[in-house]
């Protein structure tokens, strides 16, 4: 299951991130290929903000805080940890060819990946994130401040930028529930319970459904 988080960042936080990233000089950015695996290195053509840069921690905290308090993200991803965050910059001709994310990174297991778009759509062309789904390819290019979350096992690519500069934040989630299918079932069950509670209030039947959701989460978490 993949899903979008529209307006993940507030207008204020987005403007602050955009201004700070645009103000950084080239010395703050490292070749993205340095963090790619040996196979993906050949197709990774982007720049990443040095995670030792003085501004990195504050920028990352804005993104992580927004994710941590987003109800859809918490319900669908069931995050145990959000890790390995990076900020990527692609100029004209740059992108990231077809690849699959590594199953483990220094921060943890990669069950889900996310891309948070930070550039206004009219400020650049190209640069779409193309996901290879069972039903076919889907190209994602979202408004600044919105994010896409998808299973890390998907093949995907970042199309070359044809004009302007594309900034995104990318990171990974180690979920408390490893199975994508189980996470989807838990999400659907929790969503149904909340809808029933809003429409009809508490009931014995709803108590049993919440018990089912809680015990399935207890059973599958690990």
């Amino acid at each position: 299951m993949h899903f979008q988080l529209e307006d993940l960042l507030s207008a204020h936080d987005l403007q602050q991130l955009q201004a700070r990233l645009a103000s950084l000089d080239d010395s703050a950015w490292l070749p993205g290929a340095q963090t790619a695996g040996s196979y993906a290195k050949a197709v990774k053509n982007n720049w990443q903000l040095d995670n030792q840069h003085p501004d990195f921690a504050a920028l990352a905290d804005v993104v992580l805080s927004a994710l941590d308090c987003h109800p859809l993200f918490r319900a669908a991803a069931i995050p145990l940890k959000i890790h390995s965050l990076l900020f990527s910059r692609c100029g004209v001709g740059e992108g990231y060819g077809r690849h699959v994310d590594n199953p483990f990174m220094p921060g943890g297991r990669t069950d889900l990946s996310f891309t948070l778009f930070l550039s206004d759509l009219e400020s650049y062309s190209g640069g779409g994130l193309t996901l290879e789904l069972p039903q076919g390819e889907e190209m994602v290019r979202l408004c600044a401040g919105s994010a896409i979350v998808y299973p890390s096992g998907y093949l995907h690519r970042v199309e070359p930028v044809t004009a302007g500069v594309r900034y995104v934040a990318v990171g990974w989630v180690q979920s408390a529930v490893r199975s994508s299918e189980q996470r989807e079932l838990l999400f659907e069950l929790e969503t149904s319970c909340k809808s029933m509670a809003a429409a009809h209030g508490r009931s014995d039947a709803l108590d049993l459904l919440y018990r089912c959701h809680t015990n399935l989460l207890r059973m599958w978490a690990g």
Side-chain angles (χ1 to χ4, degrees), residues 126-169:
L129 171 66
T130 299
L131 305 175
E132 296 189 21
L133 309 176
Q135 65 270 30
E137 293 189 346
E138 179 178 331
M139 199 273 284
V140 181
R141 197 169 176 271
L142 300 181
C143 295
S146 296
I148 178 81
V149 185
Y150 56 94
S152 299
Y154 283 177
L155 282 165
H156 57 284
R157 63 185 184 273
V158 176
E159 306 295 348
V161 171
T162 57
V165 180
R166 173 192 190 262
Y167 291 99
V168 297

Side-chain angles (χ1 to χ4, degrees), residues 94-155:
E94 296 172 339
Y96 195 169
R98 187 176 189 243
H99 66 286
V100 65
D101 292 338
N102 292 335
F104 295 95
M105 294 187 180
R109 192 178 67 233
T110 60
D111 297 317
L112 292 162
S113 306
F114 64 85
T115 296
L116 169 60
F117 290 77
L118 297 174
S119 296
D120 296 324
L121 286 175
E122 63 272 16
S123 71
Y124 72 104
S125 300
L129 171 66
T130 299
L131 305 175
E132 296 189 21
L133 309 176
Q135 65 270 30
E137 293 189 346
E138 179 178 331
M139 199 273 284
V140 181
R141 197 169 176 271
L142 300 181
C143 295
S146 296
I148 178 81
V149 185
Y150 56 94
S152 299
Y154 283 177
L155 282 165

Side-chain angles (χ1 to χ4, degrees), residues 7-202:
D7 299 322
L8 172 64
L9 297 181
S10 68
H12 175 268
D13 285 344
L14 175 60
Q15 290 170 2
Q16 293 293 313
L17 276 174
Q18 288 177 328
R20 191 64 197 122
L21 290 171
S23 72
L24 297 173
D25 60 33
D26 288 344
S27 65
W29 300 89
L30 303 175
Q34 291 183 4
T35 61
S38 58
Y39 186 68
K41 192 182 298 288
V43 295
K44 190 173 187 181
N45 183 23
N46 71 326
W47 297 89
Q48 291 171 195
L49 179 60
D50 185 351
N51 61 14
Q52 300 302 309
H53 189 277
D55 288 348
F56 183 91
L59 294 171
D61 186 60
V62 173
V63 176
L64 296 174
S65 296
L67 286 167
D68 191 54
C69 65
H70 196 286
L72 174 57
F73 177 76
R74 296 204 61 81
I78 318 176
L80 188 63
K81 62 171 78 171
I82 307 168
H83 62 87
S84 307
L85 184 74
L86 60 86
F87 293 91
S88 171
R89 185 189 77 183
C90 288
V92 174
E94 296 172 339
Y96 195 169
R98 187 176 189 243
H99 66 286
V100 65
D101 292 338
N102 292 335
F104 295 95
M105 294 187 180
R109 192 178 67 233
T110 60
D111 297 317
L112 292 162
S113 306
F114 64 85
T115 296
L116 169 60
F117 290 77
L118 297 174
S119 296
D120 296 324
L121 286 175
E122 63 272 16
S123 71
Y124 72 104
S125 300
L129 171 66
T130 299
L131 305 175
E132 296 189 21
L133 309 176
Q135 65 270 30
E137 293 189 346
E138 179 178 331
M139 199 273 284
V140 181
R141 197 169 176 271
L142 300 181
C143 295
S146 296
I148 178 81
V149 185
Y150 56 94
S152 299
Y154 283 177
L155 282 165
H156 57 284
R157 63 185 184 273
V158 176
E159 306 295 348
V161 171
T162 57
V165 180
R166 173 192 190 262
Y167 291 99
V168 297
V170 177
W172 290 266
V173 180
Q174 179 173 330
S175 177
V177 176
R178 188 168 186 165
S179 164
S180 178
E181 291 82 3
Q182 290 170 350
R183 286 197 303 272
E184 187 168 355
L185 289 171
L186 287 166
F187 174 72
E188 291 174 349
L189 182 56
E190 182 180 10
T191 300
S192 297
C193 286
K194 288 180 177 178
S195 296
M196 291 175 62
H200 307 293
R202 296 183 62 92

